[in-house]
Amino acid sequence: MTYGIVSIVNASLERIISHLEEDFGVSLQLATKIQKDDLYTFNYTVSSDISDVILMLETIAGVDIEIK
């Protein structure tokens, strides 16, 4: 983490979601089927609101994610 920015590089969507769950202390669920072999690079700031981070990830990956 540099300057409060978390960078997740070449990671599966499941790994990114797991990282978000740990960082934000929430439980997330994918509401969309995904391709397991797709890899993403995803960045967010630690001061971001979880709903903003989820919206950004949903837009990038074309999925729906729910907070449980």
Side-chain angles (χ1 to χ4, degrees):
M1 177 174 28
T2 306
Y3 302 108
I5 298 173
V6 177
S7 295
I8 306 169
V9 180
N10 290 331
S12 67
L13 197 53
E14 292 159 331
R15 182 168 165 240
I16 294 170
I17 287 173
S18 176
H19 201 294
L20 294 175
E21 288 176 323
E22 287 180 31
D23 279 2
F24 289 95
V26 297
S27 181
L28 302 174
Q29 179 176 351
L30 270 170
T32 309
K33 289 189 96 173
I34 60 167
Q35 295 289 341
K36 292 199 180 257
D37 55 346
D38 288 346
L39 298 177
Y40 301 89
T41 295
F42 187 68
N43 302 301
Y44 61 92
T45 59
V46 292
S47 60
S48 296
D49 184 78
I50 184 62
S51 55
D52 293 336
V53 174
I54 290 172
L55 179 60
M56 189 169 41
L57 184 56
E58 287 176 327
T59 302
I60 291 167
V63 296
D64 291 317
I65 302 169
E66 300 172 353
I67 298 176
K68 295 194 284 185

